[in-house]
Amino acid sequence: MLTIQDVLGVSESEFVQLMLDNCSLQGACQGYAAEHIAKAAMEAIPEVTEVTKMFDHDKKHRYDFLVKTQHRNIRVEVKR
């Protein structure tokens, strides 16, 4: 598994400080973390058959996930 150090060349604590110093970076990281947590939670629901992450810059599909269930498809937008 890759670490923050491997990918960015900074320690975890240095990266946290970078986030605290840059509200745009912090917002982006919190948003993607919230999506990651939400996706895992949706995938754990027995009736859910598939969770697809939509492309963030797609002008046509302005939501985060398409969730397919045994009964219907649901569009999900995650907010932090």
Side-chain angles (χ1 to χ4, degrees):
M1 177 191 330
L2 291 174
T3 66
I4 291 172
Q5 181 74 43
D6 296 333
V7 176
L8 300 176
V10 297
S11 69
E12 181 179 338
S13 61
E14 289 171 320
F15 184 75
V16 169
Q17 190 59 53
L18 288 171
M19 283 196 319
L20 295 175
D21 293 342
N22 184 317
C23 61
S24 295
L25 177 61
Q26 184 175 13
C29 290
Q30 288 175 336
Y32 281 111
E35 287 180 3
H36 175 78
I37 293 165
K39 184 174 190 278
M42 290 183 287
E43 289 174 332
I45 299 169
E47 293 80 11
V48 171
T49 58
E50 183 179 349
V51 179
T52 303
K53 172 72 172 107
M54 306 310 292
F55 181 61
D56 285 331
H57 302 289
D58 189 336
K59 302 290 186 207
K60 185 177 177 184
H61 302 103
R62 292 185 173 260
Y63 49 92
D64 293 318
F65 296 100
L66 177 62
V67 180
K68 295 183 179 182
T69 72
Q70 295 170 354
H71 306 287
R72 64 181 175 179
N73 294 344
I74 303 167
R75 295 175 181 168
V76 176
E77 175 71 21
V78 177
K79 298 294 182 191
R80 56 180 175 91

